[in-house]
Amino acid sequence: MKGIFIVLEGPDGSGKSTMAKKIGDYYRGKGREIEFTREPGGTKISEKVRELILDNNNTEMDYRTEALLYAAARAQLVSEKIRPWLNEGKIVISERYVYSSLVYQGLGRGLGVEEVKKINDFAIAGLKPDMVLLLDVNPEKGLKRKLNIDGGDRLENEGISFHREVYEGYKKLGEIFPEIRTINAERTIDEIFIDIKEIINLL
Ligand code: TYD
């Protein structure tokens, strides 16, 4: 059986984890083997990099360092986990992938989408997802949800203008990359999942 790689993208607090779980349950019901992962993280090395990036004390971190660390965590995740899982015919569901870097670092941090894409092309060595589901929710709403839950990490604690830029960036990416499908995520979980099911059934 052919492996399938599905990526969930969207602003902080857009409900990616909830939908990842629903998609997993759906495929499990069809008898498929599922693997979940989140970025940054997902391997021993990538989780260490995650701690470095998201630590609220690392205020001096240069934006290029940040972009390279995300790419490094991703390179390890792809080679150690995602590629082998796909080769075994599994369904791989990832919260965030390259698109997060293009938006947060490329646009949010102003490093440039093309520049950030270059280092990520190197990091992922050609591993493109079969589908990217972009959960579209107003950034104010999403962020409020996240900050209420856990106080937020270094990225989440950026100002609202940063997050608005991220949101606009996601919209732009949706127009450029054909593998991205945008879903209105300001609805009930069941309503959102009906749309997602329709889309993943096309795979
Ligand atoms: P996390 O707590 O995993 O957030 P979420 O649950 O919203 O995914 O933290 C990840 C943070 O890192 C989030 O604010 C987005 C940011 N990020 C980037 O800036 N670039 C990236 O390439 C990735 C993967 C995440």
Side-chain angles (χ1 to χ4, degrees):
M1 210 171 274
K2 195 179 148 294
I4 301 177
F5 182 21
I6 297 176
V7 171
L8 286 152
E9 288 279 358
D12 297 271
S14 54
K16 295 183 290 298
S17 310
T18 308
M19 286 306 144
K21 199 173 161 298
K22 297 269 298 178
I23 297 168
D25 290 345
Y26 178 68
Y27 275 115
R28 205 172 286 117
K30 289 176 172 278
R32 299 289 303 248
E33 266 189 275
I34 322 292
E35 297 286 355
F36 293 101
T37 188
R38 65 160 188 186
E39 283 211 20
T43 72
K44 185 166 80 11
I45 292 171
S46 314
E47 288 292 333
K48 285 197 175 162
V49 177
R50 176 187 176 89
E51 276 173 37
L52 264 179
I53 306 176
L54 298 181
D55 187 340
N56 273 312
N57 293 319
N58 287 340
T59 48
E60 74 275 35
M61 190 180 291
D62 184 83
Y63 292 165
R64 284 171 191 268
T65 310
E66 182 183 289
L68 286 163
L69 286 174
Y70 277 115
R74 181 167 296 130
Q76 187 64 30
L77 178 66
V78 165
S79 77
E80 190 182 325
K81 302 274 170 118
I82 300 180
R83 212 185 283 277
W85 281 334
L86 292 171
N87 288 339
E88 291 163 18
K90 292 178 173 172
I91 308 273
V92 181
I93 304 169
S94 180
E95 286 176 50
R96 302 189 179 279
Y97 196 51
V98 173
Y99 312 89
S100 283
S101 283
L102 300 182
V103 168
Y104 283 75
Q105 281 65 52
L107 294 164
R109 299 303 200 196
L111 293 173
V113 171
E114 273 311 308
E115 292 297 294
V116 175
K117 186 167 180 300
K118 269 187 222 156
I119 59 171
N120 277 282
D121 283 345
F122 177 71
I124 64 172
L127 191 80
K128 271 186 65 176
D130 294 286
M131 179 155 293
V132 183
L133 301 168
L134 171 55
L135 301 181
D136 184 354
V137 4
N138 172 305
E140 274 92 354
K141 271 191 201 159
L143 202 58
K144 214 178 266 169
R145 251 165 58 190
K146 280 292 285 215
L147 297 182
N148 279 343
I149 294 168
D150 57 12
D153 56 43
R154 198 173 58 86
L155 272 284
E156 283 157 4
N157 280 314
E158 283 292 333
I160 188 65
S161 65
F162 175 81
H163 290 282
R164 195 166 333 210
E165 206 153 329
V166 162
Y167 176 72
E168 296 302 329
Y170 267 127
K171 294 253 179 192
K172 258 183 241 163
L173 280 201
E175 290 161 19
I176 303 171
F177 291 89
E179 66 270 31
I180 298 183
R181 301 292 300 262
T182 305
I183 291 149
N184 171 4
E186 289 189 7
R187 294 176 294 164
T188 66
I189 292 174
D190 288 341
E191 282 169 339
I192 299 167
F193 191 62
I194 287 173
D195 278 9
I196 290 186
K197 231 172 11 192
E198 245 172 56
I199 295 170
I200 58 184
N201 277 333
L202 299 174
L203 281 174

